[in-house]
Structure formats: structure tokens, C-alpha cells
């Protein structure tokens, strides 16, 4: 350990200095993500088939001499471009805000306080606090180091960690005194002054233009692309056939080409990919409002499928705000002191040595909540001499999976070298070799404390003549001093959240490194069902894969679990066909987070390594946020299916009304102008209105969905075609009936178009909800729906009320009673759709239950969070 000069300013920069540094040097990033300009968006739009068809139709109208129709189509093209550009820019702004939130973090000193900032906000002169698992944010000079080791393989290619030490007087500045941006702290702690950021760092000089990694497409994207290809091929094939039939039978090839374009426009489902893009971006934004960051879009698809949630205890189910709640020093008669007040009590002298060595076994500037509680109590309760301000920390044995205990070797001027250790009771006990009576008394005291939900650590001391140090703490002869117990209260929202998970068909497992009695006590408070003892890491290590599989099917509490055993738990659960969500915060949690379908890292106390391996980050380390994320994931998928079903259904009558009049020799109902108008209704509805729909009342009262199920099940496909077919029959029959009663074609066309728009609105209302009473479903609040309906009514009124627009649409103003009848047809269709929905919903429920039962009897092959992006 290198001690810093007492005169070294360790308060860090002020907020004003940091802001000025950020202004002078710019953000600490190598290559900011390229922003799509309006020109890039326009270039992509020009390649869109729908826009090309609109332009082609406009050109044909010009050749036919119909300038009004050509200008109207041009107006629709401009309006489509404006809507598309504004919508894409909105999505870009959402994604940019999410990139800022998910950027790497750094722990720095600002105005004398420790704060965590986005890595891009680190500036020259900042004081970095480095701990195990952190990714170094910028090049920096070490002022203090405690067994610090860094993995610099990103820069040097060297796989072995590099030992680092602080720069002392007389040293020449060298690489061992510096840490570099992008390096990973794999051991120890340190403080460093930032010397270079962004492109001026070593990594920046090696490569200033690191291209962004483009994530592969998700399963949902692949399904959607296949769906678009099928419909596009079908639509273009039918359109080409129609052009040939029209030209050969009627001899008017230009009119035939126009009819073919109309049919192609009516059948192209270009909205599908738009829906997916908008829903995923807005879903990630909505998650961020719940203080949950989604690092991969595939996670949003998977959230609604989670069947098992493995959660840590400390900081997730509890507050992670530790207070020393008990001390025990006399093991023979279980004498202990209970600290009941928030204020530090006056400790009897018999507890001083225990607390003194507990503080000596803690970090100098502790980040761990238990160590902070010990240091604060020691500063308030111990005499100044017992804090040993002149002692120097010479060596540290960090926590490890083999020995969950912290060991510090101190240079004591008058007493040689003193060793302090604190950690898991059984581990420290094994190093002290107590008598059988002492061991029994200690174990009973620890279990009594743990049974009250307290977290218990044992403390011991030893002496040592000097270097060389033993390879591990077992080389010291320790003397047991006593126990420290800590209270970490359960979060009040946890019992309700766990009950909600149970109702949603999600099993919650507690996986913790704590004492079994502590884990069971907290599990009981949280409402976790557990019959019998917790499964410990020691017992788990002795199980075969088959035996572990049987245990995880019924067990809910796992205690004294080592980080590497979390991976075995995840694999055992996946082998049973479960969709696993796993929380973690440490370096050793990364494999299990990566293997889980949904890896969830703690944003407050989690390491950068855990964040990089995860797919979700909890900014508040709050279990309730996980449940809210699952709820939102189910809502997003529900609304996605509603939007997809609507798009498929709405294209059926549009395509039918474009094709059937030609085949039956009737006057045309729809031309490219009419379809362009309808697209102005369909695009915002599918991408904005359905995305804003509130969640279903039963969203957390149904089993998780099968992730292997197709986006369009047979039931959903049949329901969409049934809805579209009903509207086609209603509008087509209304048009044919009007013509048979002698209504002029232009008036019949206007009335059929009004009826089609009214039926499309009915389709929107019918698909808003699949559960709950009819009136409640219609009255669900959705501000975007109100704006869309108002805009549709206004545009339809203009098309009918303005003579120039009526001419372009080839409308004649119909009688008001027939106009009212067309609107009433929409109401009739809505009632029919609602009646059919109630019958069809039972079939959909049966289909969902069938899929769920299939999942229960077969293993899933869903990719883990690390590769599902």
C-alpha cells in the first residue's frame, strides 16, 4: 500500500471546474455516435417502396393529364416525408438520451464528495476512485494504490494483469504509476488524477475512429422481415398480374399500370418494420423512466417471457444501508451488546478491541456499506489512539471465492506488524482453530443473530514478524475476537412485488452469500415460500447435475452461494426450460449474468464488468423496479401484437376494394390518392397510438408467454383476417348496394370511402383491448388516440367539404342521411367486432394455455442475454 502525502489535495475538482474542463476539452469519448441527418433520412425514404409507388403514380397521372391527382399525391409525399422525418428524429432523440444514460460510469471526487458520473463527463484533473471491477474512464496518474492490478489487454494485448503502484517522491513517472482508459481493474483499490481524456488518451491515439458495433437482428426482427417479404412478394406478384390482365383485356396499359400500383400500395405492409423500430426504442425509453436501463433491444422482447427471477438479497430486497446492530465478544456466555439507537452509544471497554480490529480490516475509504458502518461507529465510539492514525497499511488479502474475508497487514511502530481479518463466520472460525466449546458458542450466537435477519461477520487478529508475507491468510495464527452483526431492513415494496410475481407465474429465488438463517429470515419477511432449510453452496457443490435440477425445481432460498455457483444455477434452470432473469453486481457475477436470458446488473453498487455482461441495469438497485420492468415488457409485447394485428387487418379491405371492382367490372373505389390518405391514418396509429396504449388489466395475472411462439400465431392471424374480411364485406356490400339503388358512382365512392375510414376507426377501437368490459376498454386513456381521431375527422371533412379536393378524390357530396348511414356502418362493424372478439378471445386463451403447456414439457432454446442482441 502506498500512502499519499497528507498535503495532497484529495477533495477533487469543484463542479464549476469540471464544467469548464468539459467545455474546454469536450466529452471524454473517442468517437461519438454518428447522428443521422435529415438528408440521410430522406435518402432512406426515397428507397422505400411505398414512396416510390406514390411517385410513380404521380408520374402516371401527369402522363394522363390529371394534374390535380398528381399534385395531391405530391402533397401526400411531402406530408409522409414530414411525418417520417419527425418520427425518426424523435426516435433518435430517445436513443441518444438512452446512450447518455448507459455510458460507462466513473467514481470521482467533486467538491470533496464521492459522486458517480457518466464516463463522458470525466475531465482532466478529476480524481478517479478505482475499485475492483471498474473500467478506467481516462488516462490517469496514480496518487494512491492498494494492491492495484489492471488488465490492459485492450491496449497492449498482454493477458496478464499489470501491478500498479502510486508515484512517490524520487520516482520517475512510468507505466506502473499510470492507469489507462479502457483498462479493467481486476484487484485492489486506488486513486488517480486524470491526465488525458477522449482522443488525447492512449486508446484515443491508437484509434480515434472506433466504429460502432451494430447489433445483430433479434428473433422478432427476423420474424417481421420474413412476414414483410412474404406479403411484399404476394402483393407485387398480384399487381404484375393485374397490370397484364388490365392491359390485355382493356388495352389501356397506363390505366392498368395505375391499377397495379394501387393494388401494390394496398398490400405492401411497410408498417411492420416501422412498428418494431418505434416500439423497441420507445420501450427502452419507458423502461428508463422506471429507472431501468435496457442495454439490448432483445431484452424487451424477452421480458414478458421470464419464468424465474433469481435475485440477490443485499441492496435488492433490502436497502443496503447497513447499521451495526449487535456486537458479541464473550463467546462462552454469549454476552453481546445491542445497539438500538441511531446515534453511536458509549461502548464499554470490553468491546473496543473487537471494533478496533473490525475497522483495521476495513478499507481506508470504504465503499462497502458494512465497512462504512464500522468505520463511522469506530470514529464516534473509540478513543483516538485506537484508530491508529500513524499506522501504515502494508499488505492486503482481498475477498475471494475461496476465502470470503478481508485481511489487512499493518505496520505498527511499537508492536511490529499487526494483522486484522473480518469475514464470513465459518471462514474466519476455520482460521482461528478455536476449542470445541468456543466454536459451538460462536456458532450458536451467529445463528441467533442471523435468525433475526442480521448479517454477521467474525473478527480476528494476528501478529507477524515481517516480509515475506504468507501466500494467503491461512499462514497467520489468528485469535478470535468476536462477532459484528448488521441490520439491513427489507424494502417495504418487496412483499407486494413478490406477490405480484407469483400471480404472474414467475418464481422468485433468493440467491445470496449470506448465512442461511439470515437468508431464511429475510425470505420470510419478503413472502418467499420456503419449506425446509435453505440450500447452501457447500451442499450444492456435492450435488450432481440431475440432483441440482430436482432441487432448483422446488427450492426458493440459496445461501452461502459463491459467484461461480450462480452460473450452475442458471444452467440448471435453463435445462428445465425456464426463462431466467438473474441479478448481480460483482466481477465474478459476469458469467451468470451473461448466461441468463435476462442479466440484471445493479447500477448503484454494480461493477462496470457486471454492467457490460448484463442486458438490464437497475439504477436504484430496487427489486420493485424488476417487477415493473416485467410488467412493462408484457405491455410492450401486448401492444406490439395489437399494432401488428391491426396493420394486417386493415390491409385486407384496402386490397380487396382495390382489386374486386376491377374483377367485377364495377367503378373503382380506391386509387393511389385514396390509399395515400389511408396511409396517413394507418402509420401514426400503428406506430404511436398503439404504442401509447395502457397495459391490460390482467397483464400480471397471466402466465409468461412462450418466447418460441411466432409473432403471428394461428389464432392471431385468423382473427386479423376475420376482422379485415368483415370490413371488406361491409364496405364492399355498401358500395354495391348504393350502385344498385342508382346512386351516382362519385357519390357511392365518397360514401364507401367514409364507411371505410369509419370501419378503420372501429378496428382501432376494437383492438385496443382484449380483456375487461366493453365500455372500460373504449374509455381507457390514450391522449395520442384523441389527437389521431381529431386529425382524421378534420382531413375527411376537408376531402368532402372542399370542391377542389372532392375533384381530386373523384367524390361528389352525398346526401347527409346517406353520409350518416356510412358513419353508422362503422358503429355496426364495431359492435360486430366486439361480439366476435368475445368469442374469439376464448380461442386465443385456449391457444395461449396450449403453448404454455408445451413449454412446460419441452426445453426452450432461447439465446442468453449476451448473444440475443
Amino acid at each position: 500500500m502506498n500512502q499519499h502525502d497528507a498535503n495532497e489535495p484529495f477533495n477533487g475538482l469543484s463542479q464549476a471546474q469540471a464544467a469548464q474542463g468539459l467545455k474546454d476539452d469536450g466529452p471524454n469519448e473517442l468517437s461519438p455516435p454518428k447522428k443521422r441527418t435529415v438528408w440521410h433520412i430522406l435518402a432512406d425514404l426515397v428507397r422505400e417502396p411505398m414512396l416510390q409507388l406514390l411517385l410513380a403514380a404521380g408520374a402516371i397521372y401527369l402522363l394522363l393529364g390529371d394534374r390535380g391527382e398528381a399534385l395531391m399525391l405530391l402533397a401526400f409525399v411531402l406530408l409522409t416525408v414530414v411525418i417520417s422525418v419527425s418520427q425518426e428524429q424523435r426516435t433518435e432523440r430517445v436513443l441518444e438520451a438512452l446512450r447518455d444514460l448507459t455510458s460507462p460510469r466513473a467514481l470521482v471526487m467533486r467538491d470533496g464528495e464521492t459522486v458517480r458520473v457518466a464516463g463522458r463527463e470525466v475531465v482532466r484533473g478529476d480524481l478517479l476512485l478505482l475499485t475492483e471491477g471498474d473500467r478506467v474512464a481516462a488516462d490517469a496518474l496514480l496518487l494512491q494504490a492498494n494492491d492495484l492490478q489492471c488488465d490492459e489487454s485492450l491496449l497492449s494485448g498482454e493477458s496478464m494483469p499489470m501491478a500498479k503502484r502510486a508515484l512517490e517522491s524520487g520516482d520517475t513517472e512510468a507505466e506502473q504509476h499510470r492507469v489507462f482508459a479502457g483498462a479493467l481493474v481486476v484487484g485492489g483499490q486506488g486513486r488517480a488524477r486524470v491526465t488525458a481524456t477522449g482522443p488525447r488518451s492512449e486508446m484515443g491515439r491508437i484509434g480515434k475512429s472506433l466504429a460502432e458495433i451494430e447489433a445483430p437482428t433479434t428473433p422478432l426482427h427476423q420474424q417481421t422481415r420474413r412476414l414483410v417479404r412474404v406479403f411484399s412478394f404476394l402483393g407485387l406478384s398480384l399487381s404484375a398480374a393485374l397490370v397484364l390482365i388490365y392491359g390485355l383485356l382493356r388495352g389501356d396499359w397506363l390505366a392498368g399500370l395505375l391499377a397495379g400500383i394501387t393494388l401494390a400500395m394496398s398490400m405492401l405492409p411497410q408498417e411492420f418494420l416501422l412498428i418494431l423500430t418505434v416500439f423497441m426504442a420507445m420501450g427502452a425509453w419507458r423502461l428508463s423512466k422506471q429507472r431501468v436501463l435496457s442495454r439490448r433491444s432483445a431484452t424487451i422482447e424477452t421480458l414478458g417471457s421470464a419464468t424465474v427471477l433469481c435475485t440477490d438479497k443485499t441492496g435488492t430486497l433490502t436497502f443496503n444501508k447497513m447499521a451495526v446492530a449487535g456486537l458479541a465478544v464473550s463467546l462462552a456466555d454469549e454476552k453481546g451488546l445491542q445497539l438500538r439507537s441511531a446515534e453511536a452509544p458509549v461502548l464499554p471497554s470490553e468491546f473496543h478491541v473487537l471494533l478496533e480490529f473490525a475497522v483495521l480490516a476495513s478499507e481506508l475509504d470504504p465503499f462497502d456499506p458494512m465497512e462504512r458502518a464500522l468505520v463511522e461507529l469506530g470514529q464516534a465510539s473509540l478513543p483516538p489512539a485506537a484508530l491508529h492514525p500513524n499506522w501504515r497499511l502494508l499488505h492486503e488479502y482481498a475477498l475471494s471465492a475461496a476465502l470470503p474475508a478481508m485481511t489487512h497487514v499493518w505496520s505498527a511502530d511499537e508492536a511490529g506488524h499487526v494483522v486484522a481479518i473480518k469475514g464470513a463466520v465459518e471462514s474466519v472460525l476455520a482460521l482461528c482453530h478455536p476449542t470445541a466449546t468456543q466454536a459451538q458458542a460462536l456458532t450458536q450466537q451467529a445463528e441467533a443473530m442471523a435468525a433475526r435477519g442480521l448479517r454477521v461477520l467474525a473478527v480476528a487478529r494476528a501478529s507477524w514478524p515481517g516480509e515475506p508475507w504468507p501466500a494467503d491468510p491461512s499462514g497467520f495464527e489468528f485469535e478470535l475476537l468476536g462477532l459484528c452483526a448488521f441490520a439491513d431492513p427489507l424494502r417495504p415494496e418487496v412483499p407486494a412485488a413478490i406477490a405480484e410475481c407469483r400471480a404472474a407465474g414467475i418464481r422468485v429465488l433468493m440467491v445470496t452469500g449470506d448465512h442461511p438463517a439470515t437468508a431464511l429470515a429475510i425470505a420470510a419477511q419478503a413472502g418467499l415460500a420456503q419449506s425446509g432449510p435453505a440450500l447452501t453452496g457447500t451442499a450444492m457443490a456435492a450435488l450432481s447435475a440431475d440432483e441440482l435440477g430436482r432441487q432448483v425445481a422446488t427450492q426458493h432460498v440459496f445461501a452461502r452461494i459463491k459467484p461461480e455457483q450462480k452460473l450452475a444455477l442458471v444452467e440448471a434452470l435453463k435445462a428445465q426450460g425456464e426463462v431466467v432473469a438473474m441479478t448481480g453486481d460483482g466481477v465474478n457475477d459476469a458469467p451468470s449474468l451473461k448466461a441468463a436470458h435476462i442479466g440484471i446488473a445493479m447500477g448503484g453498487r454494480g461493477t462496470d464488468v457486471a454492467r457490460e455482461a448484463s442486458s438490464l441495469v437497475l439504477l436504484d438497485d430496487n427489486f420493485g423496479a424488476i417487477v415493473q420492468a416485467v410488467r412493462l415488457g408484457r405491455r410492450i409485447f401486448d401492444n406490439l401484437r395489437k399494432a401488428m394485428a391491426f396493420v394486417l387487418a386493415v390491409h385486407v379491405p384496402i386490397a380487396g376494394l382495390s382489386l374486386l371492382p376491377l374483377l367485377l367490372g364495377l367503378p373503382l373505389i380506391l386509387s393511389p390518392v385514396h390509399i395515400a390518405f389511408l396511409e396517413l391514418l394507418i402509420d401514426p396509429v400503428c406506430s404511436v397510438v398503439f404504442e401509447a396504449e395502457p397495459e391490460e388489466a390482467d397483464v400480471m395475472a397471466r402466465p409468461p408467454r412462450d418466447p418460441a411462439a411466432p409473432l403471428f400465431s394461428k389464432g392471431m392471424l385468423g382473427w386479423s383476417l376475420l376482422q379485415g374480411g368483415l370490413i371488406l364485406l361491409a364496405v364492399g356490400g355498401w358500395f354495391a348496394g348504393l350502385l344498385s339503388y342508382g346512386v351516382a358512382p362519385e357519390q357511392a365512392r365518397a360514401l364507401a370511402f367514409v364507411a371505410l375510414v369509419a370501419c378503420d376507426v372501429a378496428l382501432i377501437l376494437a383492438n385496443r383491448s382484449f380483456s375487461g368490459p366493453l365500455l372500460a376498454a373504449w374509455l381507457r386513456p390514450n391522449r395520442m388516440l384523441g389527437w389521431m381521431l381529431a386529425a382524421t375527422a378534420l382531413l375527411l371533412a376537408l376531402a368532402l367539404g372542399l370542391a377542389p379536393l372532392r375533384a381530386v378524390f373523384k367524390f361528389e357530396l352525398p346526401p347527409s342521411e346517406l353520409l350518416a348511414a356510412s358513419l353508422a356502418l362503422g358503429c355496426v362493424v364495431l359492435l360486430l367486432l366486439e361480439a366476435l372478439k368475445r368469442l374469439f378471445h376464448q380461442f386465443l386463451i385456449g391457444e395461449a394455455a396450449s403453448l404454455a403447456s408445451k413449454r412446460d414439457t419441452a426445453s426452450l432454446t432461447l439465446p442468453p442475454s449476451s448473444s440475443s442482441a
Side-chain angles (χ1 to χ4, degrees), residues 125 140 157 228 230 261 338 368 383 494 597 620 669 689 736 740 859 868:
V228 169
V230 167
I261 288 173
Q338 302 307 313
D368 179 80
V494 166
H597 300 114
D620 293 333
I669 302 175
V689 173
S740 65
S859 177
S868 61

Side-chain angles (χ1 to χ4, degrees), residues 59 109 124 137 151 157 179 194 255 326 364 420 422 557 574 655 676 684 716 723 731 742 796 801 803 856:
M109 293 290 290
R124 280 185 304 144
D151 177 356
V179 290
V194 174
L364 293 174
K422 73 173 188 321
V557 180
K574 287 166 64 178
M716 185 62 72
Q723 292 181 98
V731 177
L796 191 58
D856 290 340

Side-chain angles (χ1 to χ4, degrees), residues 31 60 68 87 219 241 318 479 511 559 630 686 707 711 743 749 767 815:
S31 179
I60 293 172
Q87 190 160 263
T318 62
E479 173 196 357
V511 184
V630 171
C686 65
L711 179 62
V743 177
R749 182 179 297 114
N767 281 278

Side-chain angles (χ1 to χ4, degrees), residues 158-203:
E158 174 59 51
S159 59
M160 294 297 292
M162 301 288 292
K164 301 288 183 177
R165 67 183 183 87
L167 182 68
E168 295 181 338
S169 58
D171 285 344
T172 56
E173 190 174 324
E175 282 197 6
Q176 63 180 326
H177 304 131
R178 300 182 64 202
V179 290
F180 301 97
L184 178 65
V185 180
V186 294
Q189 291 184 321
R191 298 189 183 207
R193 184 79 66 190
V194 174
T195 56
T197 61
R200 292 165 293 281
S201 66
E202 286 297 318
M203 182 174 284

